[in-house]
Amino acid sequence: MEVAAGGGCGAGPPLLLSESEQQCYSELFARCAGAASGSPGPGPPEATRVAPGTATAAAGPVADLFRASQLPPETLHQITELCGAKRVGYFGPTQFYVALKLIAAAQSGLPVRTESIKCELPLPRFVMSKSDAEIRFGNPAELHGKKVQIPYLTTEKNSLKRMDDEDKQQETPSPTMSPLASPPSSPPHYQRVSLSHGYSKLRSGTEQMQPASYETRQPIGQPEGSSSEGPGSKPLRRQASLIRSFSVERELQDNSINYPDEPWRITEEQREYYVNQFRSLQPDPNSFISGSVAKNFFTKSKLSIPELSYIWELSDADCDGALTLPEFCAAFHLIVARKNGYPLPEGLPPTLQPEYLQAAFPKSKWECAIFDSYSESMPANQQPCDLNRMEKTSVKDMADFPVPTQDATTGDDKQALKSTVTEPLPKDLSEDTATSKDYNSLKARPRSRSYSSTSIEETMKRGEDPPTPPPRPQKTHSRASSLDLNKVFQPSVPATNSGLLPPPPALPPRPCQTQSEPVTEADLHPQLNRAPSQAAESSPAKKDAPHAQPPSKPIRRKFRTENQTTESQEPAAAVGGAASAAVVKPHPTVQKQSSKQKKAIQTAIRKNKEANAVLARLNSELQQQLKEVHQERIALENQLEQLRPVTVL
Amino acid sequence: MAVCIAVIAKENYPLYIRSTPTEDELKFHYMVHTSLDVVDEKISAMGKALVDQRELYLGLLYPTEDYKVYGYVTNSKVKFVMVVDSSNTALRDNEIRSMFRKLHNSYTDVMCNPFYNPGDRIQSR
């Protein structure tokens, strides 16, 4: 596939590469290309002639690679000439592949001729002395200079992959391993780490990784590259700090399904990494990341804006302006691949499709919880129908009982956020309102733009996830506290135009005064939502906590009024006119509150508050725009009126 | 078949304009430009009602002997203009509408992209 991708580079003898060869070569090429410089399209200045998006391998790493093949220099010269690099002046993918094939031929004892490469050849062998992972196909990796021990690094990816595809991996173990990061001296930030090993970088890069879990997965099957992974980790670690967790990983192995596009497969470690990053942006794995937040985050990768824009187009499959977790992982993965020098694909590879990713997700622990809660929330989800645009807010952390109300609330939030997320979007809000909720078509892009439906659907699917983060201190009542929060945020709302969600982790302990309530309160809060009361009725019906009801009722009233005040304060209650009256009016349904659930509720509350704040801000901005537009309209109509009498006459 | 499609921003500068390369593109650009007047006229004519009620599809703006020009405007005053060859049997109105709808959807997709600044040129692949 790389051959095709790099095809633009120019002519070379027609190549027939086997699957393993393709993988190996593309990986090598990417490595050479990436090693030259961290940005796409590196290489000598003449490489600029190459079509954008195709990387060229710089002469330095390529020369190293060739030397590593342990062929005599004159043979290497011959090869270079034959492959056409001399002719065109740079090593494009085609030239590179031809060269590799010639090296394989030479190593097999065949004369270096163009005809030699037409036949089936074993893969070329390279022995790297440096920390470069040895690119050895079918050969157990040899340790290189750096021995870093991060055993779990290799094992983890390898074991995962190997377990999946033991047979397949035979041929391509090395590719994954080889691109282990070059020595620390190499380009600072995006090391070429084989995707399978990427997590080593991940680990270093992000302190969020839980080494423990990885460690447990000790070398399940020492695949060939495991050792080579080790060396890479150390340098990676050092560099990790430089790289803001944008580890360069290349996925070269199949996970469970044998997709031909190896580099686009996300390994388990990568996924963990992405999930952690997602969590850092948005604590709830079930909700979305808004466009602006994602934009800031991805901008840190130092890719050009058009490329980021293209990646976004690819990964935001439902085109809702927000990234769900699989979309986020896909986008992240594309960025990583791009940093490694892979040209961006024309379309989203099947392994990066959100459905595929989501299906693959169940591995993670939180997924289970999500699914559990999801099943519960399913019925309740029907209510928040009106949601127009899904907003990434929140989450329904509630499990079980609160599910219905939570859903409504969340849905409302989501919708509100989404609708206001992007500036131009409000203009098309009319379109949004018209959209129908198409709950079932997660991937469908119903042209009526049911953004909300797809997002909601996804969110619902993720279900209410009992809060995964460690217990949060705040015990803030949903509405009452949100009221406080709103007051806190509102002064800053007009000022801040960042559109960023307040970093969830940094949220100060809510001034939750009112809440020292019994669980029921917490219960209520999630339900209290700005919009007009919602269908929550159904949720109350579902909930059963009769015992909790009486005490919660009076409290609910109080919060309700607060809530309404809050709502009045925030014109955002309209939330983008979102119809959703998804607010669940608390019928204190509270139910069986276990402390765990309470935490979940609190998390949900927090998220809702954040969403509220963002929505309030957006709303005020929209109101402003609306005023301007109205004024313009009035002015135009005035002009028209003035002209009218003239024409009449 | 449409020979030219243009997306015009609110301030009447083009965000995206693409013609079939067979013809002189300048001619199409000029036609689109002149059609903007007609678009504005239609907008103002309907401007009494609130924007929401205004029909988005403007219909045939004006015909020439070779081409017909159709217009469509969004609620944010972004205009889509399409020049269609008159030679083939005239495309039905529904087809034109569906073409505009697709165009509108693509446009909103572009808007969704947070990396897109409203008012920038639109890059299309």
Side-chain angles (χ1 to χ4, degrees), chain A residues 291-292 294-296 298-299 305 308-310 312-314 316 318-322 345-346 389 422-425 427-428 430-431 445-449 451 629-630 632-633 636-637 640-641 644, chain B residues 10-11 41 43-52 54 56 72 74-78 80 101-120 122-125:
Chain A
S292 44
K295 176 181 177 178
N296 292 333
F298 287 136
T299 310
I305 295 290
L308 288 172
S309 176
Y310 182 68
W312 177 280
E313 278 174 40
L314 284 182
D316 191 6
D318 47 4
C319 268
D320 52 8
E346 289 301 318
R389 309 260 275 149
T422 54
E423 300 283 334
L425 279 180
K427 312 282 188 170
D428 295 338
S430 61
E431 205 181 6
R445 291 177 36 171
R447 272 327 172 174
S448 52
R449 288 282 171 192
Y451 300 106
V629 168
H630 272 311
E632 282 179 35
R633 185 163 157 261
L636 286 171
E637 283 188 0
L640 184 63
E641 286 304 323
R644 280 266 170 86
Chain B
K10 179 173 155 186
E11 291 82 10
E41 178 192 330
I43 296 178
S44 62
M46 298 199 276
K48 288 302 175 187
L50 199 44
V51 164
D52 288 341
R54 183 163 50 80
L56 299 180
Y72 180 96
T74 71
N75 286 325
S76 55
K77 297 288 191 299
V78 173
F80 302 138
R101 195 165 306 120
K102 288 191 200 136
L103 196 60
H104 196 169
N105 285 329
S106 306
Y107 177 72
T108 45
D109 283 345
V110 170
M111 285 295 131
C112 280
N113 191 329
F115 299 104
Y116 171 80
N117 297 318
D120 284 355
I122 299 178
Q123 321 292 334
S124 167
R125 290 168 285 125

Side-chain angles (χ1 to χ4, degrees), chain B residues 8-56:
Chain B
I8 316 285
K10 179 173 155 186
E11 291 82 10
N12 289 339
Y13 63 87
L15 292 175
Y16 177 82
I17 184 163
R18 182 63 56 87
S19 319
T20 58
T22 53
E23 297 268 352
D24 178 15
E25 299 198 19
L26 194 57
K27 183 173 69 168
F28 292 132
H29 287 215
Y30 181 68
M31 284 174 76
V32 168
H33 188 74
T34 53
S35 66
L36 288 180
D37 273 341
V38 185
V39 171
D40 279 342
E41 178 192 330
K42 288 200 185 261
I43 296 178
S44 62
M46 298 199 276
K48 288 302 175 187
L50 199 44
V51 164
D52 288 341
Q53 299 165 12
R54 183 163 50 80
E55 173 84 18
L56 299 180

Side-chain angles (χ1 to χ4, degrees), chain A residues 222-241:
Chain A
Q222 288 289 349
E224 300 83 341
S226 10
S227 44
S228 55
E229 326 252 345
S233 48
K234 196 149 266 169
L236 291 182
R237 189 159 284 157
R238 272 182 250 141
Q239 263 127 7
S241 51

Side-chain angles (χ1 to χ4, degrees), chain A residues 1-112:
Chain A
M1 82 194 137
E2 287 307 319
V3 175
C9 277
L15 277 185
L16 289 165
L17 297 181
S18 68
E19 182 79 14
S20 58
E21 281 179 334
Q22 274 188 353
Q23 287 175 353
C24 165
Y25 292 172
S26 57
E27 185 264 313
L28 284 175
F29 180 77
R31 202 150 55 91
C32 289
S37 77
S39 55
E46 44 271 30
T48 53
R49 277 184 275 131
V50 181
T54 59
T56 62
V62 172
D64 287 342
L65 188 67
F66 287 177
R67 274 194 288 279
S69 67
Q70 298 176 331
L71 289 176
E74 38 291 2
T75 314
L76 291 176
H77 284 316
Q78 258 184 319
I79 291 175
T80 316
E81 258 178 341
L82 265 182
C83 76
K86 287 265 170 68
R87 189 165 26 96
V88 298
Y90 57 84
F91 267 107
T94 317
Q95 288 80 31
F96 192 76
Y97 297 155
V98 174
L100 288 175
K101 197 105 191 198
L102 286 169
I103 288 177
Q107 285 173 341
S108 320
L110 297 176
V112 178

Side-chain angles (χ1 to χ4, degrees), chain A residues 143-412:
Chain A
L143 289 201
H144 304 296
K146 329 207 151 145
K147 315 267 172 179
V148 189
Q149 323 14 63
I150 302 189
Y152 58 81
L153 274 185
T154 49
T155 55
E156 203 161 295
K157 276 232 174 158
N158 291 333
S159 52
L160 287 177
K161 301 277 203 86
R162 309 308 182 196
M163 294 194 309
D164 288 339
D165 270 329
E166 209 48 42
D167 359 340
K168 284 197 221 338
Q169 306 320 334
Q170 300 321 334
E171 317 145 338
T172 57
S174 18
T176 46
M177 312 203 274
S178 50
L180 247 205
S182 7
S185 52
S186 16
H189 41 152
Y190 293 84
Q191 300 280 344
R192 297 221 113 232
V193 181
S194 76
L195 287 183
S196 50
H197 315 324
Y199 54 90
S200 61
K201 203 160 211 198
L202 284 182
R203 295 262 184 237
S204 29
T206 63
E207 278 49 54
Q208 310 164 6
M209 305 310 263
Q210 311 106 9
S213 61
Y214 289 106
E215 239 115 28
T216 55
R217 306 198 239 173
Q218 276 315 319
I220 297 183
Q222 288 289 349
E224 300 83 341
S226 10
S227 44
S228 55
E229 326 252 345
S233 48
K234 196 149 266 169
L236 291 182
R237 189 159 284 157
R238 272 182 250 141
Q239 263 127 7
S241 51
L242 294 181
I243 311 156
R244 193 251 182 226
S245 66
F246 267 96
S247 52
V248 168
E249 294 146 0
R250 261 187 305 145
E251 173 66 54
L252 292 180
Q253 303 200 6
D254 307 31
N255 254 336
S256 39
I257 311 174
N258 183 20
Y259 276 104
D261 41 354
E262 310 304 346
W264 306 118
R265 189 174 296 275
I266 300 185
T267 67
E268 195 58 32
E269 292 65 28
Q270 288 177 318
R271 186 181 300 125
E272 286 280 347
Y273 180 68
Y274 299 154
V275 169
N276 285 334
Q277 288 300 308
F278 184 94
R279 290 224 193 97
S280 76
L281 295 176
Q282 169 66 264
D284 179 17
N286 298 333
S287 69
F288 316 139
I289 293 184
S290 72
S292 44
V293 171
K295 176 181 177 178
N296 292 333
F297 180 76
F298 287 136
T299 310
K300 292 185 196 149
S301 71
K302 309 230 180 358
L303 283 179
S304 63
I305 295 290
E307 289 191 352
L308 288 172
S309 176
Y310 182 68
I311 287 177
W312 177 280
E313 278 174 40
L314 284 182
S315 57
D316 191 6
D318 47 4
C319 268
D320 52 8
L323 294 181
T324 61
L325 184 57
E327 288 173 346
F328 176 82
C329 290
F332 210 134
H333 198 73
L334 285 169
I335 287 180
V336 161
R338 188 70 184 117
K339 279 303 212 179
N340 264 314
Y342 275 103
L344 291 176
E346 289 301 318
L348 196 61
T351 51
L352 288 183
Q353 298 278 349
E355 297 106 342
Y356 174 82
L357 287 175
Q358 245 182 339
F361 274 162
K363 290 179 192 165
S364 35
K365 34 189 185 284
W366 48 266
E367 281 291 318
C368 309
I370 294 170
F371 287 153
D372 288 345
S373 47
Y374 172 59
S375 53
E376 317 241 356
S377 56
M378 247 331 248
N381 291 349
Q382 307 317 322
Q383 299 163 19
C385 326
D386 290 323
L387 308 176
N388 257 347
R389 309 260 275 149
M390 285 311 296
E391 280 310 326
K392 299 184 170 193
T393 24
S394 59
V395 206
K396 321 190 164 195
D397 298 350
M398 309 302 274
D400 306 347
F401 54 93
V403 160
T405 47
Q406 269 310 71
D407 293 347
T409 307
T410 327
D412 184 26

